[in-house]
């Protein structure tokens, strides 16, 4: 364990955007490192990522405890953001299931309220975020079980409770949450069942997609081993908590990049953000390539000069604000398009 300060590494300090460098040197250089302190301290401290803006006002914000349908465990807490107004017309609201980041170890129902509130207001949709269980107390696959249960609730009880239009669903998340979102999006499109819903888009922000990656087999893990915010040592610390059994590292439900291509042909169009100076950049780019090879429409956005947590730093980084705008515009376009329930969409009969 080392003690502060923690200056930016020589390999990246001149390549990071000046706005991030200035903020880091002024506010973060002496902050304790997550992987050098007890998890309880990290969970009890300030937000996972400093530099974020406050949520924007929405019509309603409500918390629910939802019952499980397919897996054992406690009820799953979710938070629902609803736009101003009683409904989006006779067909109901479009809906986004959005999953927070935090390396599967940190984060909670408050973590990504800012981006959730922006999606709600700017894309005029209900947003559901999930307070899934965390490792190491609840390792893989328990957080995934919670997110899948939230999806099942959303398309059943939640649909009538929240007045949702199930022809207009999107699934998204950031970092670890994007890993979970990619799996939920793929699960939601499997099977020959009658189509009672459509998943029109998935939004994956700096996703964790390959838990077999390391500095020896992945070019951006090697190039940015000592990068800011999420270096290789820290990512391995998260991984070992979430996936204590190394045999699980190559499971496609832990590493979506390893999903057989034939299982990706029906997943929804994807908006994927990668950060230039993020160790996870290569796996995000490879997943985009694999989806395109499977025939899926992909919009891959490379955020120049950015480290891993740029989206959550929207108060100080223009990249965070512009990414939020791109997410909202993508959702608006997807929800504005006419849904075709008989197309190669996704669906499940409960």
């Amino acid at each position: 364990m080392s003690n502060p300060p923690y200056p930016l590494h020589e390999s990246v300090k001149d390549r990071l955007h000046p706005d991030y460098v200035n903020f880091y040197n002024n506010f973060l250089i002496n902050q304790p490192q997550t992987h050098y302190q007890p998890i309880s301290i990290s969970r009890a401290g300030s937000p996972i990522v400093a530099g974020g803006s406050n949520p924007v006002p929405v019509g309603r914000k409500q918390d629910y405890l939802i019952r499980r349908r397919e897996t054992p465990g406690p009820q799953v807490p979710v938070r629902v953001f609803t736009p101003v107004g009683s409904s989006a017309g006779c067909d109901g609201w479009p809906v986004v299931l959005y999953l927070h980041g935090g390396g599967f170890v940190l984060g909670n129902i408050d973590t990504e309220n800012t981006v959730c509130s922006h999606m709600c207001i700017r894309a005029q949709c209900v947003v559901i975020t999930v307070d899934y269980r965390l490792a190491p107390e609840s390792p893989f696959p328990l957080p995934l079980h919670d997110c899948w249960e939230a999806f099942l609730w959303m398309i059943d009880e939640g649909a009538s409770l929240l007045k949702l239009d199930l022809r207009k669903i999107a699934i998204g998340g950031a970092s670890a949450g994007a890993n979970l979102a990619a799996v939920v999006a793929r699960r939601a499109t499997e099977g020959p069942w009658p189509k009672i819903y459509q998943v029109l888009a998935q939004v994956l922000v700096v996703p964790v997609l390959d838990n077999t990656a390391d500095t020896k087999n992945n070019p951006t893990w090697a190039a940015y081993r000592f990068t800011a915010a999420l270096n290789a040592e820290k990512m391995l610390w998260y991984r070992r908590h979430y996936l204590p059994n190394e045999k699980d590292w190559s499971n496609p439900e832990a590493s979506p990049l390893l999903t057989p291509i034939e299982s990706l042909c029906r997943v929804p169009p994807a908006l994927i953000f990668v950060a230039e100076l993020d160790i996870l950049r290569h796996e995000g780019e490879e997943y985009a390539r694999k989806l395109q090879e499977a025939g899926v429409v992909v919009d891959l956005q490379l955020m120049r000069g950015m480290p891993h947590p740029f989206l959550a730093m929207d108060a100080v980084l223009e990249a965070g604000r512009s990414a939020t705008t791109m997410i909202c515009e993508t959702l608006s376009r997807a929800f504005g398009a006419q849904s075709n329930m008989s197309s190669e969409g996704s669906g499940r009969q409960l």
Side-chain angles (χ1 to χ4, degrees), residues 9 89 107 119 122 126 140 150 165 181 184 192 229 303 346 349:
H9 195 266
M119 289 187 290
R122 296 165 68 179
V126 165
F140 172 84
D165 183 350
V184 172
M303 309 306 283
S346 57
Q349 180 68 54

Side-chain angles (χ1 to χ4, degrees), residues 19-20 32-33 48 98 120 154 170 182-184 219 237 248 253 256-257 280 296 329:
D19 289 346
Y20 179 82
Q33 299 291 294
I48 299 174
Y98 195 83
C120 174
M154 178 182 72
V183 179
V184 172
W237 180 87
D248 290 328
E253 295 220 318
L257 181 60
L280 304 182
V296 178
E329 290 176 347

Side-chain angles (χ1 to χ4, degrees), residues 101-148:
F104 309 100
V105 175
L106 306 177
N108 54 44
I109 206 164
D110 298 315
T111 298
E112 304 211 24
N113 281 195
T114 293
V115 69
C116 289
S117 65
H118 277 276
M119 289 187 290
C120 174
I121 294 303
R122 296 165 68 179
Q124 283 295 284
C125 60
V126 165
V127 180
I128 302 171
T129 189
V130 185
D131 198 10
Y132 56 84
R133 289 171 290 177
L134 299 173
E137 299 89 343
S138 300
F140 172 84
L142 300 183
L144 178 59
H145 287 175
D146 293 353
C147 297
W148 181 243

Side-chain angles (χ1 to χ4, degrees), residues 191-232:
W193 36 71
K195 296 176 173 54
I196 63 168
Y197 61 82
Q198 271 194 306
V199 183
L200 301 179
Q202 56 181 319
V203 177
L204 309 178
V205 183
V206 291
V208 179
L209 295 166
D210 183 4
N211 275 303
T212 69
D214 58 34
T215 57
K216 297 178 181 178
N217 64 19
N218 183 294
T220 53
W221 271 69
Y224 308 128
R225 178 176 184 173
F226 302 107
T227 193
L230 184 66
N231 58 40

Side-chain angles (χ1 to χ4, degrees), residues 279-293:
I279 60 170
L280 304 182
R281 172 182 166 183
H282 181 68
E283 57 205 75
E285 293 171 334
E286 284 297 289
Y287 194 62
R289 180 197 59 76
K290 192 168 186 177
L291 290 179
Q292 289 174 324
E293 187 178 345

Side-chain angles (χ1 to χ4, degrees), residues 14-342:
D14 294 330
R15 298 182 60 189
L16 288 161
H17 193 284
D19 289 346
Y20 179 82
V21 173
N22 290 338
F23 185 81
Y24 186 92
N25 287 335
N26 284 322
F27 299 104
L28 303 179
I29 193 168
N30 291 308
Q31 291 299 306
Q33 299 291 294
T34 298
H35 54 302
Y36 292 159
Q37 65 181 9
I39 293 172
S40 59
I41 294 177
S42 294
R43 288 178 179 168
S46 51
I48 299 174
V49 179
S53 67
N54 292 324
V56 297
V58 300
R60 293 190 309 280
K61 185 175 73 172
Q62 299 164 290
D63 292 349
Y64 297 91
L65 286 173
I66 65 175
R67 68 182 184 91
R68 311 179 82 92
R69 301 179 65 95
E70 294 187 354
T71 58
Q75 291 180 302
V76 181
V78 300
R79 175 165 293 163
V80 177
F81 300 81
T82 304
V84 177
S86 58
S87 71
C90 60
D91 294 327
W93 296 108
V95 60
V96 178
L97 181 69
Y98 195 83
L99 308 174
H100 72 76
F104 309 100
V105 175
L106 306 177
N108 54 44
I109 206 164
D110 298 315
T111 298
E112 304 211 24
N113 281 195
T114 293
V115 69
C116 289
S117 65
H118 277 276
M119 289 187 290
C120 174
I121 294 303
R122 296 165 68 179
Q124 283 295 284
C125 60
V126 165
V127 180
I128 302 171
T129 189
V130 185
D131 198 10
Y132 56 84
R133 289 171 290 177
L134 299 173
E137 299 89 343
S138 300
F140 172 84
L142 300 183
L144 178 59
H145 287 175
D146 293 353
C147 297
W148 181 243
E149 292 288 356
F151 178 83
L152 296 178
W153 175 82
M154 178 182 72
I155 62 172
D156 185 25
E157 297 165 49
S160 56
L161 178 66
L162 305 173
K163 298 181 173 59
L164 305 179
D165 183 350
L166 294 183
R167 299 170 302 170
K168 297 180 179 181
I169 295 173
I171 300 169
S175 193
N179 169 291
L180 299 167
V183 179
V184 172
R186 190 263 306 158
R187 282 188 179 188
T189 61
E190 293 180 335
W193 36 71
K195 296 176 173 54
I196 63 168
Y197 61 82
Q198 271 194 306
V199 183
L200 301 179
Q202 56 181 319
V203 177
L204 309 178
V205 183
V206 291
V208 179
L209 295 166
D210 183 4
N211 275 303
T212 69
D214 58 34
T215 57
K216 297 178 181 178
N217 64 19
N218 183 294
T220 53
W221 271 69
Y224 308 128
R225 178 176 184 173
F226 302 107
T227 193
L230 184 66
N231 58 40
E233 181 185 11
K234 186 176 183 180
M235 185 63 219
L236 288 172
W237 180 87
Y238 283 129
R239 179 187 296 169
R240 292 187 178 109
H241 284 308
Y242 181 52
L243 298 162
N245 184 347
E246 290 192 22
K247 292 181 180 179
D248 290 328
W249 291 12
S250 59
N251 185 326
E253 295 220 318
S255 295
L257 181 60
L258 306 185
T259 304
I261 195 166
E262 59 270 19
S263 297
L264 297 173
C265 296
R266 295 176 61 192
V267 303
L271 172 60
I272 301 176
F273 289 92
V274 294
E276 182 182 11
L277 302 174
D278 186 2
I279 60 170
L280 304 182
R281 172 182 166 183
H282 181 68
E283 57 205 75
E285 293 171 334
E286 284 297 289
Y287 194 62
R289 180 197 59 76
K290 192 168 186 177
L291 290 179
Q292 289 174 324
E293 187 178 345
V296 178
V297 175
V298 178
D299 180 3
L300 176 66
Q301 295 288 334
L302 172 62
M303 309 306 283
R304 298 286 181 183
M306 288 297 115
H308 181 76
F310 69 89
L311 180 69
M313 300 181 68
D314 64 315
V316 296
L317 297 179
E318 174 59 33
R321 295 188 291 274
S322 62
T324 299
T325 295
M326 281 188 272
I327 291 169
C328 295
E329 290 176 347
T330 294
L331 294 173
S332 294
R333 286 194 298 270
F335 295 148
Q338 182 65 37
S339 298
N340 180 359
M341 296 299 286
S342 63

